[in-house]
Structures are given as structure tokens and as C-alpha cells.
Amino acid sequence: MAVLTDRPPVAAASAPRRGRDPRVLVSRFLGYATLVFFGLVFLYPFVIQLGNSFKTEPNAAADPLSPIPDPLVLAGFERIFAGTDFPLWLGNSLLVTVLVTAGRVFFDSLAGYALARLRFRGRAGLFAAVVAVLAVPGVVLLIPKFLVLNQLGIYNSYAGLIVPLLADAAGVFIMKQFFESIPVSVEEAARIDGAGVFRTFWSVVLPMAKPALITLTILSFQGSWNEFPHSLVAVQDPDLFTLPRGLADLVSGSLGKGSQYPLKLGAALLATIPVAIIFVVFQRYFVRDANDGSDKG
């Protein structure tokens, strides 16, 4: 038997507002406008670089801030490959960057794992020393670097360019912090199955650290590709110059008189392309892996 009550019917849920708050729209518009403005401010120097690379030398000297080449020519790029040692510098930079990046990814990962998981005397002091190195300005170490390289007999050689850069404190810090976020139970299961310390690190923990490895790869490639102060104290032979050292030689006026903006900016543009490609490609994988990790968590 149904029970009748005088209770009024529940009011229907209010329909969503058709319009949005004007204040929210204005705030969002101002936010995007600010981002676009500062984005254009940061991109404009690159646009100027690109435009002047395709100008004639008189046109670039007369109007260097115009991003439009009139006429558009390739004389600057032809002089880069025919009148300079740019191919040699490019080869040296590729060799040094690939070896340094591989070395940093391997050695920084090993050191980071040791500081995060292994228990040994002096571990806290060693990590404090690594953090302290991050606070030391690089220019302070230039003279000690030169003295050490000269004493070891690797000054003015490829070994002098590569060996001192095979590990860095920032990479060790990044990998240590990431390894500490991995559950210890994963490694304990591997040890129960008979895996040693290095096998656990290489086969179990390292594949889980892909986001950190990609971040380290990007930073290592960019840092070693653009490294100038170290090459300044490590080599003097022009045959061992890397791109930053060679470009600095161009800017200092080694080719003679005149601004030579198309040549200089064209060489700088070519030197920027590999770093941009590495960053764009690896950033996509980094974002995807980071999102996958957050979904699983």
C-alpha cells in the first residue's frame, strides 16, 4: 500500500549555464596574450638569425634587424662549407658529443644508483660533495682543469676533450633522486631470483628509469654540444676545434674585415639544428613516459 505524503517534489537540478563568466574569459585571454607576447619576444632573435643567413652581406649589414631577406641567396652557406673549417668542427663536435652523452648516461646512472641504494661508509659525505660541486661556478675550475690535463699528458687531444666530461654532478643528482623513487621491493624480488647488484641495476632498475635517462640524455647532449669553456682550456690545435670553439673564432674576426653576418649567423643556425632535433624527439618520449608513470601510480 503506497504511503501518500505532502512533501513537495524534489526540484530538478538546475540546468548548466549556457554562458561562461566574462571574468574567466578575460583572464584566460590575457594569460594567452601574455604567453604569445613573450613567446614572440624569445623567438624573434632566432627569426633574425634565420633571415640574415639568407641575405647578401651588404643587405645584412644595412638592415640586420629585418627578418626578410631581399634577395634570398645561399652565398653565406656556400662560404661556410667552402671557406671555413665548419665540416671539421662539425665532425669533432659529433664525436665528442656522442661519446660524452653515452658516458654521462652510463656513469651518472651507476653513481646515482650507488648513492641511492648501496650502503657504504662515507655515502652521505660523498653525496654532499656532489651537491657542493653544483654550487661551484664553472669558470673557477678552468685553470685547475688545464693543470690536470697538462699533468696527465692529455692536453690538446681528443682524450682531453672527452674524458673530463664523461660524468657530471647534475646527472648524478638527477639519477639518484629518481632511483630513490623506485620501490625497493622490485629489487628484492630480483635478488631472490639470484640477480647480483649490477644485474639488478642493469636489467631491472635501469629500464624503469627511462624518463630520467631521457632527461639526462637531453641535458648531456645539449651541454656537451654547446661546451665552450672546456674546449678553450683543453685544446689549442685548430684541427681539434669543436663547433663552439670554431664559431667563436669566426666571431672574433678570423676571416678578415666586414660584418659577415650571413656567414656567422648561418653557421650558428646550422649548429643549433642538432640540439633542436634531439630536444624535440626525446621530449615527446619523455612526456609520454612521464604520463604513463603517473597513470600507473
Side-chain angles (χ1 to χ4, degrees):
M1 179 177 179
V3 180
L4 300 178
T5 63
D6 295 334
R7 185 180 300 173
V10 179
S14 58
R17 291 180 301 176
R18 294 182 180 179
R20 294 184 177 180
D21 190 347
R23 291 175 297 180
V24 175
L25 295 177
V26 172
S27 176
R28 183 170 299 177
F29 172 78
L30 292 177
Y32 282 119
T34 304
L35 290 176
V36 170
F37 172 76
F38 283 104
L40 293 176
V41 169
F42 282 104
L43 285 176
Y44 188 69
F46 296 99
V47 176
I48 294 297
Q49 181 188 54
L50 180 62
N52 280 279
S53 300
F54 293 95
K55 290 181 181 180
T56 62
E57 188 169 342
N59 188 14
D63 193 8
L65 296 182
S66 173
I68 301 176
D70 184 24
L72 190 150
V73 296
L74 298 176
F77 292 98
E78 293 175 357
R79 288 193 60 198
I80 290 173
F81 290 97
T84 69
D85 290 329
F86 186 88
L88 175 64
W89 304 335
L90 179 62
N92 290 337
S93 285
L94 286 174
L95 175 64
V96 172
T97 301
V98 170
L99 294 179
V100 169
T101 301
R104 285 187 178 181
V105 170
F106 180 69
F107 292 116
D108 290 354
S109 300
L110 281 176
Y113 182 75
L115 291 173
R117 287 293 191 260
L118 302 185
R119 300 292 184 264
F120 56 90
R121 182 177 300 177
R123 186 182 65 146
L126 183 59
F127 179 66
V130 171
V131 175
V133 171
L134 296 175
V136 178
V139 67
V140 177
L141 302 177
L142 292 182
I143 295 179
K145 279 185 178 181
F146 169 76
L147 296 176
V148 171
L149 292 175
N150 195 31
Q151 188 68 25
L152 293 177
I154 58 175
Y155 173 73
N156 209 28
S157 66
Y158 284 109
L161 280 173
I162 297 170
V163 173
L165 302 179
L166 288 178
D168 69 321
V172 174
F173 180 82
I174 291 173
M175 297 308 299
K176 176 187 179 296
Q177 297 302 110
F178 190 89
F179 286 140
E180 288 182 342
S181 67
I182 298 177
V184 182
S185 58
V186 176
E187 302 168 58
E188 292 176 349
R191 293 193 182 97
I192 292 174
D193 292 338
V197 175
F198 185 80
R199 180 64 182 274
T200 302
F201 161 76
W202 186 260
S203 301
V204 178
V205 179
L206 199 60
M208 300 176 64
K210 186 183 295 185
L213 291 174
I214 292 175
T215 301
L216 182 58
T217 300
I218 294 174
L219 296 178
S220 299
F221 188 95
Q222 182 182 18
S224 55
W225 183 268
N226 296 327
E227 181 65 45
F228 172 70
H230 176 70
S231 64
L232 191 63
V233 300
V235 295
Q236 287 297 326
D237 187 355
D239 292 336
L240 298 175
F241 282 3
T242 56
L243 272 177
R245 184 71 183 275
L247 293 179
D249 195 47
L250 289 180
V251 174
S252 64
S254 63
L255 295 180
K257 298 180 180 180
S259 61
Q260 304 189 55
Y261 288 145
L263 187 149
K264 296 176 182 178
L265 294 179
L269 177 64
L270 293 177
T272 306
I273 292 176
V275 177
I277 292 175
I278 292 295
F279 181 81
V280 170
V281 172
F282 280 89
Q283 184 191 40
R284 179 181 61 184
Y285 291 105
F286 170 73
V287 172
R288 184 184 66 186
D289 291 334
N291 291 335
D292 291 345
S294 62
D295 293 340
K296 293 176 183 178

